[in-house]
Amino acid sequence: PREVMWRLLLAFLVTLPAFAQAISGTLEGYVKDSGGATIPGASVTAKNVDTGLTRKTVTNEKGYFQHTFLPLGEYEVLVEAS
């Protein structure tokens, strides 16, 4: 019984680092004008520099946007508003 407990503890400690590895990330923020006012309805495009993967979203009524589950990498962000 004691040996089984140690084996379970060892197995848990060995697999613990695997849970910490991220394969995706989140890009989020607020779109504001030069005066600091938020801009609702702005189009926010994130493009992965290496793969060309493109994701688009629109800011909410508070100017907030969020791109979730983006593959890790370097992104260019383009914001457009009228």
Side-chain angles (χ1 to χ4, degrees):
R2 192 174 200 144
E3 184 178 335
V4 172
M5 187 174 214
W6 281 111
R7 285 185 182 185
L8 287 173
L9 179 61
L10 180 61
F12 175 74
L13 291 175
V14 169
T15 59
L16 191 59
F19 292 112
Q21 296 176 1
I23 58 171
S24 67
T26 300
L27 176 64
E28 62 184 337
Y30 289 88
V31 175
K32 299 181 179 183
D33 65 15
S34 59
T38 58
I39 302 176
S43 172
V44 181
T45 303
K47 180 180 177 184
N48 186 299
V49 174
D50 296 322
T51 66
L53 171 77
T54 302
R55 299 271 176 89
K56 296 181 180 187
T57 191
V58 176
T59 58
N60 67 11
E61 67 279 353
K62 296 180 181 178
Y64 176 78
F65 73 92
Q66 184 179 58
H67 288 289
T68 57
F69 302 108
L70 290 172
L72 298 180
E74 183 179 343
Y75 286 82
E76 292 177 345
V77 178
L78 173 66
V79 177
E80 296 175 293
S82 47

